[in-house]
Amino acid sequence: MAVEEVLRLEGVGRHYGDGDKRLDILKDANFTMRRGEMIGLVAPSGTGKSTLLHLAGLLERPDDGDVIINDRPCGTLADAERTAIRRSDIGFVYQFHHLLPEFSAIENVMLPQMIAGLGRKEAEERAGQLLDYLRVGHRGVHRPAELSGGEQQRVAIARAVANAPIILLADEPTGNLDPHTAHYVFDALEALVRQSGLAALIATHNHELAARMDRRVTLDEGKIVEL
């Protein structure tokens, strides 16, 4: 049985400015990601990693080409339709956790579920299961400021997958952590990806972590190139 393709970039271009001041970030970029894959995006700063993730996550629109998610071209969709796809199909993890400081860990994981229409009891149950799986269940009642950096990132990962997305996009998810904690957080992230079967594109400067993924890609003059 063929492995399910969940994300495809077809001839994607993204630039800023015009004329002599035009800067091409991505140019005729092509990329495919399948369910169950972990792909490392390794490239120097300033080459367009964040732009690529923003395009794949429907936070930006390409100037050329299209982004196809679950066989659905998204380039010409209305903003409301793109937002709906982001909420149901895509999870995001950033270098800084961006947890809401006034809410506890479990409430941070419950919120996206309740926004999507799940009842409080069901949201709390799933949030608790995710936090337990990521070994921070005992910290559920604590607010972000009371958590360590590694605990904050694991809560952020739980929040990102709370609505059972098919795609996880992570931008330097361990970049703000010491090496030991980075490995611990990555172990938790990898276990979650493998267990759930979602597809993950993870930008990282850590080549040791990137080597553990199924594939690695980089950006070269606006193109996405396999390593």
Side-chain angles (χ1 to χ4, degrees), residues 9-37:
L9 273 62
E10 288 187 346
V12 165
R14 187 75 172 102
H15 67 264
Y16 300 100
D18 293 299
D20 294 338
K21 295 184 178 180
R22 172 167 166 156
L23 176 63
D24 287 302
I25 306 298
L26 294 174
K27 192 173 183 179
D28 193 26
N30 298 281
F31 175 71
T32 299
M33 188 161 66
R34 296 172 178 83
R35 185 178 289 277
E37 279 192 312

Side-chain angles (χ1 to χ4, degrees), residues 176-187:
N176 199 39
L177 305 174
D178 65 79
H180 176 76
T181 305
H183 277 273
Y184 193 83
V185 169
F186 185 83
D187 287 345

